[in-house]
Amino acid sequence: MCGIVGYTGTLQAAPILLDGLRRLEYRGYDSAGVAVHDGERIERVKAGGTVAGLAEKTANGAALHGVCGIAHTRWATHGAPTDTNAHPHLSEHGLFAVVHNGIIENYALLRAELQGEGYVFRSETDTEVVAHLLEKYYDGDFKRTVMRTAARLEGSYVLGVLCSEAPGRLFCVKEAGPLLLGLGVGENYFASDVTALVSHTKNVIYMDDGELAELTPEKITVFDRTGREITKTVSHVVWDIEAAEKGGYEHFMLKEIMEQPRAVKSTVDPRIRDGEIVFEDFDPSSEELAGINRLVITACGSAYHAGVVAKYVIEALCRVSVEVQLASELRYSDPIIDGHTLLIVVSQSGETADTIAAMRECMARGARSLAIVNVVGSTIARLADHVIYTHAGPEIAVATTKGYTTQLAALYLFAVWYAKRLGRIDSARYNELVEGIRALPGMVQRAIDLNVHVRYLAERWHGHKSLFFIGRNIDYAAAMEGSLKLKEISYIHSEAYAAGELKHGTIALIDEQRLVVALCCQEQLFEKMVSNIQEVKARGAKVLGVSLEGDRRIFAEADDVLFVPRGERLFAALPELIPLQLFAYYIARENGCAIDKPRNLAKSVTVE
Ligand code: G6P
């Protein structure tokens, strides 16, 4: 979950690499570094802290001369985030510089072997073994050296390598982590993510595991594990650089919250034609569907929460039982999966290591897979039998907003489509549900407009040290995401609880210091929620109600209220999250937190 970028061409490399790092910084931001070939040797600068610190140290790159280089922004796994542990790492005599994303699982053995041969280690990282192995195996042939080195590594490694004896040439290697190549004119690039490339080129090649590539200014050559040259497809990226910039907003997170009406529309609109749900990229045969008797959803973090919402919706509409499992648990659970299981894999990035591993485990047991993914060409998208892209556009803030709501929209489309294919809903209900989905972008905008007062509520409530989010049914699933949003960006303790379960122990924590956010958008359970609100109020808690627009009953119960526009009950979680995202955002802002890059987190978790 680090970010790497490489450039070879005719322009000064360091400023281009720093710009790339700024765009990759959401992948890790505890230290950064850059290495450039100055025509004779490799120059390297590293800095603990953010890319801004590295930019300052190098006069925005001007202090480093050379037209070919590699750079890295780190999320520490082995060794603290210090200058010394930052990448790039150099080999003993400075012959090679290497950047790495992933974890080398056999690094301890390799380190001992190399130390036994006299190699001196300067950092605590797993990556340094790669630098020394490169020098150990170097026989004048750059490609062969990289291949021999990669063959010794176990685990996940995406590498970028610079050799002082090969000016203008770069190698990169992919094994279990994201990597793509950017094709320019007289210049070429590699990067962990397309956001680092789009200001330079829209022509990209997605690398697959086990491949390596050689880059010179004129040419990119890709090889398989055995060193045989292979032909890769060039893809064209459809969005441009504005999509990955703040566009006047104070934070990416706020920009991405505000983008949601458009993002949800991009998920929904292309899939509804003449009142029918049609997936261009998901069209299983009737035989394939007939063979499915079980649905399992797997994901991590917010994507998992989207899966929990989907369970309620799919079960209500399709009357098929749905299991939702955290990918990190599913992968080690010896899961009961066979060829009759449809595995739905939800992921914004398409690169989350645990999700990929769970998916591989289930597919090896025969499951058919449907991926709901945002990033085109990502590992999960390519592994899956079927894909529904969410088309949310690039999401830069670490805390997901539009990534999550577009996952919900895609899952709603699937649920309604599947219910119809199973014959579980009649055409009147189908039409009503399709209209309910079509209305979602407008409802998201309405949810933004209805809650302009949320920033003032944040002023009032930002000092609370502990919150509970409570709800029932779909409101409970929405509470999980609302609670996560708050804790990850504001560092305030918060927990989501099924409202009816509170009294079985956790209510002991309720006192005058507690703020309880009570989600009351499932009309059929409103009275039950009122009872739960009264239980916490009787113990001194303050209550922030989240209620359907126009429902005046909540005013008698809550200290403050957030509003959710009315629409199809089953789809309420999507508009409901908008005020909760805004609430988390403004609380974190009041508390002066690093909203786009919260401490200890990274957007794309490509390690186990
Ligand atoms: C990280 C992010 C979360 C995200 C989770 C799963 O923890 O900080 O926001 O929900 O990974 O990511 P994915 O890309 O698979 O949706």
Side-chain angles (χ1 to χ4, degrees):
M1 42 212 271
C2 306
I4 69 168
V5 59
Y7 169 82
T8 179
T10 51
L11 301 174
Q12 287 302 305
I16 294 171
L17 294 168
L18 283 170
D19 183 54
L21 286 189
R22 282 186 200 102
R23 298 183 193 284
L24 292 175
E25 207 174 11
Y26 69 89
R27 301 180 60 82
Y29 34 85
D30 58 36
S31 48
V34 54
V36 167
H37 199 304
D38 70 2
E40 285 183 13
R41 53 185 206 93
I42 296 170
E43 279 189 78
R44 176 192 64 169
V45 181
K46 308 196 286 182
T50 62
V51 174
L54 180 66
E56 209 179 300
K57 213 166 166 179
T58 58
N60 227 354
L64 285 166
H65 302 283
V67 292
C68 175
I70 55 178
H72 186 271
T73 179
R74 182 167 184 247
W75 186 87
T77 56
H78 294 68
T82 57
D83 277 28
T84 319
N85 288 332
H87 303 209
H89 290 282
L90 293 182
S91 62
E92 186 96 7
H93 301 100
L95 202 55
F96 289 95
V98 63
V99 288
H100 166 220
N101 171 28
I103 292 181
I104 294 166
E105 287 167 4
N106 60 336
Y107 90 99
L109 275 176
L110 293 171
R111 190 178 169 113
E113 172 187 316
L114 288 158
Q115 277 171 331
E117 291 167 14
Y119 289 89
V120 178
F121 281 76
R122 294 181 174 83
S123 77
E124 301 156 279
T125 65
D126 52 341
T127 306
E128 201 180 344
V129 297
V130 183
H132 293 314
L133 281 175
L134 285 161
E135 199 163 296
K136 167 174 162 162
Y137 288 130
Y138 188 57
D139 59 359
D141 184 328
F142 193 1
K143 178 184 159 200
R144 191 161 53 221
T145 304
V146 172
M147 285 182 62
R148 289 184 73 190
T149 300
R152 295 291 319 274
L153 307 177
E154 287 169 20
S156 55
Y157 48 90
V158 177
L159 305 170
V161 188
L162 197 58
C163 174
S164 65
E165 292 196 353
R169 283 168 79 200
L170 292 175
F171 269 88
C172 55
V173 180
K174 171 172 154 59
E175 189 67 59
L179 180 66
L180 66 162
L181 309 170
L183 292 89
V185 178
E187 56 185 18
N188 287 307
Y189 304 80
F190 66 74
S192 303
D193 184 332
V194 72
T195 47
L197 301 180
V198 274
S199 60
H200 306 290
T201 176
K202 293 197 173 165
N203 296 323
V204 302
I205 293 172
Y206 295 102
M207 297 273 285
D208 286 299
D209 284 350
E211 292 175 353
L212 70 152
E214 178 180 11
L215 287 77
T216 65
E218 297 77 33
K219 198 169 174 227
I220 289 184
T221 320
V222 183
F223 307 94
D224 68 10
R225 225 183 275 275
T226 66
R228 197 172 47 95
E229 190 174 329
I230 49 176
T231 310
K232 300 282 289 181
T233 315
V234 177
S235 307
H236 193 71
V237 179
V238 289
W239 48 265
D240 50 30
I241 193 63
E242 287 77 50
E245 292 186 334
K246 276 191 208 155
Y249 286 97
E250 193 179 342
H251 296 100
F252 276 112
M253 183 177 179
L254 187 59
K255 176 189 176 229
E256 289 159 7
I257 290 173
M258 296 306 180
E259 272 173 2
Q260 288 177 108
R262 208 176 61 213
V264 172
K265 200 170 164 52
S266 306
T267 313
V268 166
D269 274 11
R271 273 76 184 237
I272 301 182
R273 282 187 226 140
D274 302 326
E276 288 292 327
I277 297 173
V278 184
F279 297 109
E280 72 284 8
D281 31 15
F282 171 53
D283 188 19
S285 65
S286 303
E287 297 81 71
E288 186 178 348
L289 277 188
I292 301 296
N293 61 14
R294 189 154 166 262
L295 259 54
V296 174
I297 303 178
T298 195
C300 299
S302 297
Y304 167 76
H305 294 157
V308 179
V309 173
K311 172 182 165 71
Y312 285 100
V313 178
I314 297 170
E315 288 188 344
L317 292 176
C318 306
R319 306 312 296 158
V320 172
S321 117
V322 181
E323 205 178 308
V324 195
Q325 288 248 24
L326 289 165
S328 53
E329 288 297 313
L330 180 64
R331 63 183 294 191
Y332 296 119
S333 68
D334 190 8
I336 304 168
I337 301 271
D338 60 19
H340 299 295
T341 307
L342 177 65
L343 180 77
I344 303 181
V345 184
V346 189
S347 174
Q348 188 284 127
S349 64
E351 299 294 348
T352 303
D354 282 323
T355 311
I356 294 170
M359 183 178 184
R360 287 207 159 107
E361 179 66 43
C362 295
M363 288 179 76
R365 291 169 191 238
R368 301 292 295 162
S369 57
L370 164 63
I372 296 192
V373 172
N374 187 33
V375 178
V376 174
S378 55
T379 304
I380 291 174
R382 284 180 295 149
L383 276 177
D385 297 309
H386 305 284
V387 185
I388 300 176
Y389 283 113
T390 53
H391 300 314
E395 193 178 59
I396 309 295
V398 167
T400 180
T401 52
K402 64 176 182 172
Y404 169 82
T405 47
T406 54
Q407 284 163 355
L408 287 185
L411 287 160
Y412 295 161
L413 284 162
F414 168 80
V416 176
W417 171 90
Y418 194 41
K420 185 175 185 206
R421 287 287 289 259
L422 292 175
R424 300 281 152 78
I425 48 175
D426 63 21
S427 62
R429 180 67 176 136
Y430 176 75
N431 293 340
E432 198 175 88
L433 290 163
V434 171
E435 274 319 301
I437 295 178
R438 206 205 292 272
L440 286 170
M443 288 174 68
V444 173
Q445 186 59 55
R446 177 96 188 125
I448 293 171
D449 298 342
L450 274 175
N451 290 290
V452 280
H453 62 300
V454 63
R455 66 174 71 193
Y456 305 110
L457 299 190
E459 273 171 31
R460 175 144 15 138
W461 300 117
H462 74 277
H464 273 260
K465 297 279 175 282
S466 171
L467 276 82
F468 282 89
F469 284 70
I470 61 170
R472 288 168 177 263
N473 195 270
I474 289 172
D475 282 343
Y476 170 45
M480 291 179 181
E481 176 61 8
S483 168
L484 178 64
K485 281 288 87 64
L486 183 75
K487 76 179 119 191
E488 67 184 337
I489 62 168
S490 73
Y491 317 143
I492 295 174
H493 167 258
S494 137
E495 262 184 70
Y497 241 82
E501 181 65 14
L502 207 58
K503 57 186 172 292
H504 297 292
T506 308
I507 202 162
L509 296 175
I510 301 291
D511 60 16
E512 306 75 38
Q513 308 303 317
R514 232 56 60 188
L515 174 62
V516 175
V517 182
L519 279 60
C520 307
C521 296
Q522 293 295 305
E523 286 256 40
Q524 77 283 16
L525 294 165
F526 188 87
E527 293 308 329
K528 303 288 168 207
M529 282 304 297
V530 168
S531 308
N532 299 131
I533 290 173
Q534 283 167 358
E535 283 161 14
V536 296
K537 274 173 56 179
R539 282 145 184 99
K542 297 281 179 285
V543 173
L544 172 60
V546 181
S547 160
L548 291 175
E549 184 181 2
D551 193 338
R552 306 191 65 78
R553 293 171 297 175
I554 193 74
F555 292 111
E557 310 299 334
D559 295 277
D560 274 317
V561 181
L562 294 170
F563 299 105
V564 178
R566 281 174 190 273
E568 165 59 46
R569 175 187 77 79
L570 289 174
F571 306 149
L574 197 159
E576 195 167 13
L577 246 296
I578 309 300
L580 300 183
Q581 294 167 347
L582 288 166
F583 181 67
Y585 172 81
Y586 283 110
I587 294 255
R589 191 170 171 273
E590 280 294 320
N591 289 348
C593 300
I595 293 179
D596 284 337
K597 293 178 215 147
R599 69 184 181 206
N600 305 341
L601 303 185
K603 184 151 192 74
S604 182
V605 185
T606 53
V607 295
E608 195 181 322

